Amino acid sequence: MSETASSFDLVVIGSGPGGYVCAIKAAQLGLRVAVVEKRSTFGGTCLNIGCIPSKALLHASEMYAEANHSFAELGIKVAPELDLPTMLGHKDKTVKANVDGVAFLFRKNKITPVTGTGRIVRAGEVEVTAEDGAKQTLRTKSIVIATGSAVAGIPGLDVPLAETTIVSSDNAIALQKVPATMVVVGGGVIGLELGSVWSRLGARVTVVEYLDKILGPMDGEVSSQFQKILVKQGFHFKLGAKVTAIAKTGSGASVTFEPAKGGAPETLEAEVVLVATGRKPFTAGLGLEEAGVALDRAGRVEIDAHYRTNVEGIYAIGDVVKGPMLAHKAEDEGIALAEQLAGQAGHVNYGVIPSVVYTSPEVASVGHTEEELKSKGVEYRVGKFPFTANGRGRAMLHTDGFVKFLADAKTDRVLGVHIVGHSAGDMIAEASVLMEFGGSSEDLARTCHAHPTLSEAVREAAFAAFAKPIHV
């Protein structure tokens, strides 16, 4: 067993979106940086088994569904045939291109990659253990914990995960055949996205959700309308349902649940059960307790407004700290922290972090929901516009959904924007920029938008918030 030592300005543990972006920005600002990654490839959960592969499958399955259901109406006669191995191959090639891209950026910015499991020995010192047991010590001025999150499972329930029958999101992106039936435990983003993939490819999908609505934190009207759209697509829902058991069966697996408010249990059987109940911070084996780094009750690393832990020289960002578990939130934190470590004034505006569900149609949100504004006693106006009245949406056969603006009743400052519709994830950026600069609904409505575009619906909803829309 060998041991070596090296010195750096910054050591980042984890190469997911938060970690690799922090490392690159710090290197650009002149710091000597090393990144510790236990996988053989960079990019963390997001690039390897999360955001990127799931989006590849979502796009491919959406094209397959459109070929089956929409092409004929557009005058295109085809008889699509599913080639699942090729579709999975597209996913794998997409992943490789992205992780290879991060490796290139590390080389370009002269970042030192260290493969192995990192453990904080003390402030200024990280021990890395390679797969063969070899150890090396990295000495550094600053340490960033960017280890992300792991599958949470179901609290209080021991679920026997298996690669092909009872799966987490890690394996749901790699099923080798389309199941006839699938039960998704959890009506959040991950469950609805992966449920959509397999539903489009032919599975009968039932979602079992503890809350009485899907997409729990999202605006209630958005959640309700989106659920209706999914039902039209073939989804089935069991809401307000508490899962009490998940077990393997001869033909797959079963899920037993009962009404969350009390009542008789019910059992559903399916070829595949996807457990998609969220994620939890990954802190195991990092040596945090020994180093004296404090965690909160949720198992997250405690930080101050500048990402500092209670131990000087140790910082944390991304899924492992408070806030939404979103790749772009982690990236922004990585940039801000790198700037601070280089003596600049990095900052993240947590009030303007968009959230997107990459289903069909997409769901996107930024800022406050109606429920939040009501609970805070804020007086507000609502402006809405449906895609059924949008010319480009009609031409594309994408008329499901609407845009919703929430603006302060007195100042017209935009407090929240919510979109259900095709390309909502791209259109929400316009609202995010508006809100970043404290803009009003009138500011956006009086900005000329190209015609015909889907983004005209955003403008019309802004008109509706301070005056009246033009096209309804």
Side-chain angles (χ1 to χ4, degrees):
M1 185 179 296
S2 61
E3 185 164 355
T4 59
S6 304
S7 296
F8 299 91
D9 296 314
L10 172 64
V11 170
V12 180
I13 305 176
S15 71
Y20 86 72
V21 168
C22 181
I24 291 170
K25 186 63 178 178
Q28 290 174 344
L29 294 173
L31 302 186
R32 188 179 180 211
V33 182
V35 175
V36 179
E37 173 54 58
K38 63 182 180 181
R39 283 188 174 91
S40 60
T41 55
F42 303 119
T45 294
C46 181
L47 271 62
N48 286 275
I49 55 174
C51 319
I52 296 302
S54 66
K55 280 22 170 213
L57 289 179
L58 280 158
H59 175 72
S61 62
E62 184 178 341
M63 294 300 96
Y64 177 72
E66 286 204 9
N68 270 304
H69 304 296
S70 300
F71 278 14
E73 193 171 344
L74 294 171
I76 305 170
K77 293 184 178 181
V78 295
E81 180 181 345
L82 176 63
D83 181 352
L84 185 58
T86 298
M87 188 178 288
L88 294 173
H90 162 67
K91 173 206 66 174
D92 294 339
K93 285 188 289 186
T94 304
V95 168
K96 187 177 188 306
N98 279 270
V99 299
D100 287 353
V102 175
F104 165 76
L105 291 172
F106 280 4
R107 293 192 298 272
K108 177 183 177 182
N109 290 283
K110 297 179 173 58
I111 293 167
T112 301
V114 183
T115 302
T117 302
R119 182 178 69 88
I120 299 173
V121 178
R122 60 182 65 87
E125 190 173 320
V126 176
E127 181 185 75
V128 183
T129 304
E131 193 173 342
D132 63 2
K135 296 180 183 295
Q136 63 175 305
T137 299
L138 309 179
R139 295 190 173 89
T140 178
K141 295 176 183 177
S142 303
I143 298 170
V144 175
I145 303 166
T147 47
S149 59
V151 173
I154 302 175
L157 197 62
D158 185 18
V159 179
L161 291 178
E163 288 188 2
T164 58
T165 51
I166 304 173
V167 301
S168 69
S169 56
D170 296 355
N171 294 111
I173 60 168
L175 298 178
Q176 297 302 301
K177 71 181 187 72
V178 179
T181 52
M182 172 181 278
V183 171
V184 178
V185 180
V189 176
I190 296 172
L192 297 181
E193 286 187 351
L194 293 178
S196 288
V197 167
W198 297 107
S199 174
R200 292 171 193 159
L201 299 182
R204 184 183 189 276
V205 175
T206 301
V207 176
V208 179
E209 165 58 45
Y210 181 81
L211 300 177
D212 59 4
K213 58 173 288 198
I214 60 173
L215 299 177
M218 283 206 171
D219 185 270
E221 185 178 14
V222 167
S223 171
S224 175
Q225 291 300 313
F226 182 54
Q227 183 181 337
K228 291 177 182 177
I229 292 170
L230 291 178
V231 168
K232 286 197 301 182
Q233 292 179 5
F235 271 68
H236 302 267
F237 291 93
K238 301 285 186 179
L239 303 182
K242 177 183 178 181
V243 173
T244 57
I246 299 177
K248 292 183 181 179
T249 65
S251 58
S254 65
V255 178
T256 301
F257 55 93
E258 60 189 32
K261 298 178 181 178
E266 183 178 349
T267 298
L268 291 175
E269 293 197 3
E271 283 190 31
V272 173
V273 171
L274 166 59
V275 179
T277 49
R279 301 182 65 83
K280 60 183 179 182
F282 184 83
T283 58
L286 289 175
L288 300 187
E289 184 177 351
E290 296 87 342
V293 176
L295 305 180
D296 65 16
R297 291 183 178 180
R300 301 171 298 197
V301 179
E302 287 192 339
I303 56 171
D304 64 11
H306 299 285
Y307 312 106
R308 296 177 296 206
T309 70
N310 62 306
V311 179
E312 188 172 354
I314 301 179
Y315 305 80
I317 59 172
D319 284 7
V320 81
V321 302
K322 61 187 176 183
M325 290 183 170
L326 297 169
H328 43 283
K329 175 257 197 186
E331 289 181 350
D332 277 13
E333 289 178 338
I335 292 171
L337 176 54
E339 290 171 337
Q340 291 172 20
L341 292 174
Q344 299 183 6
H347 172 71
V348 176
N349 181 357
Y350 289 96
V352 187
I353 296 180
S355 178
V356 182
V357 188
Y358 295 91
T359 46
S360 180
E362 293 179 348
V363 183
S365 174
V366 64
H368 290 292
T369 65
E370 269 204 80
E371 290 76 15
E372 289 171 342
L373 296 179
K374 288 176 181 176
S375 69
K376 295 175 182 291
V378 177
E379 294 184 9
Y380 63 94
R381 293 193 305 269
V382 180
K384 290 189 290 187
F385 190 83
F387 283 101
T388 52
N390 175 267
R392 184 71 185 279
R394 290 169 178 157
M396 298 169 65
L397 301 182
H398 286 300
T399 55
D400 281 336
F402 62 96
V403 182
K404 178 178 181 178
F405 266 67
L406 302 172
D408 187 280
K410 296 177 182 178
T411 67
D412 192 37
R413 180 172 179 168
V414 175
L415 305 174
V417 177
H418 308 275
I419 308 174
V420 180
H422 187 74
S423 297
D426 293 309
M427 288 187 284
I428 201 67
E430 177 177 14
S432 298
V433 172
L434 177 75
M435 291 175 63
E436 184 67 36
F437 287 91
S440 67
S441 64
E442 185 173 358
D443 287 331
L444 191 144
R446 296 195 182 280
T447 300
C448 187
H449 284 57
H451 173 78
T453 59
L454 294 173
S455 66
E456 287 179 286
V458 180
R459 185 189 190 193
E460 290 273 12
F463 261 122
F466 85 93
K468 290 183 179 180
I470 303 300
H471 289 93
V472 289

